[in-house]
Structure formats: C-alpha cells, structure tokens
C-alpha cells in the first residue's frame, strides 16, 4: 500500500533528465569515453549501499527465484 503522503516529484518520461547519449547497458558505459566516470559512479553507489547496510548476503532458499537488477545510466545536470 502506498502511504497517503507519498509524492512523485519527477517522472523521467515527462522530462528529459539525461543526456541524449547516455548508455543503456553496462557494456556501452564501459566502452564510452566517460567509462572511468561511469565506473566511479557505480563504485560510489555500491560503497554507499555497503556502508548503509541495505542488504544481507544469505543462502538462497530452494524454490526461490533471484530478483534481478540493472543500472540505469543518467547524466546529472547541475549537480
């Protein structure tokens, strides 16, 4: 259930918040001329999640599927 005070401030589909040439896949990010910047951004994100202990590594119970994830690459403007 979504709380009554939940607000969506920005819908990407309504605004062009990224650069026109933002990579769509990891391989594109790593083969771009900004690959070191993308790599550092991913490392910073992983370090932040580890520091904030947002997950626990556990043994996957039998009969349970893993939830996938992926990076979304967006260039921040005026950050």
């Amino acid at each position: 259930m979504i709380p009554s005070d939940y607000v969506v401030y920005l819908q990407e589909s309504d605004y062009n918040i990224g650069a026109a040439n933002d990579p769509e896949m990891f391989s594109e990010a790593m083969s771009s001329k900004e690959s070191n910047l993308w790599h550092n951004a991913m490392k910073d994100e992983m370090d932040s999640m580890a520091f904030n202990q947002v997950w626990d590594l556990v043994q996957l119970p039998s009969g349970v599927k893993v939830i996938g994830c992926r990076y979304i690459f967006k260039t921040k403007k005026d950050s």
Side-chain angles (χ1 to χ4, degrees):
M1 179 170 187
I2 298 175
S4 61
D5 61 348
Y6 183 81
V7 177
V8 176
Y9 291 100
L10 179 66
Q11 290 286 332
E12 181 183 353
S13 60
D14 296 336
Y15 301 93
N16 182 13
I17 62 172
N21 59 348
D22 283 346
E24 294 191 19
M25 297 184 301
F26 175 81
S27 59
E28 291 175 6
M30 294 299 99
S31 64
S32 72
K33 64 182 179 180
E34 297 90 8
S35 62
N36 62 325
L37 298 173
W38 290 119
H39 184 266
N40 290 340
M42 290 185 289
K43 184 177 180 330
D44 288 347
E45 185 68 19
M46 293 298 289
D47 290 345
S48 173
M49 288 190 288
F51 178 79
N52 290 300
Q53 301 176 342
V54 298
W55 69 75
D56 294 316
L57 291 179
V58 297
Q59 200 63 266
L60 186 66
S62 62
V64 176
K65 289 186 175 183
V66 175
I67 298 173
C69 64
R70 62 182 284 222
Y71 279 105
I72 305 296
F73 299 97
K74 292 292 176 192
T75 302
K76 290 183 180 178
K77 297 180 181 183
D78 301 323
S79 60

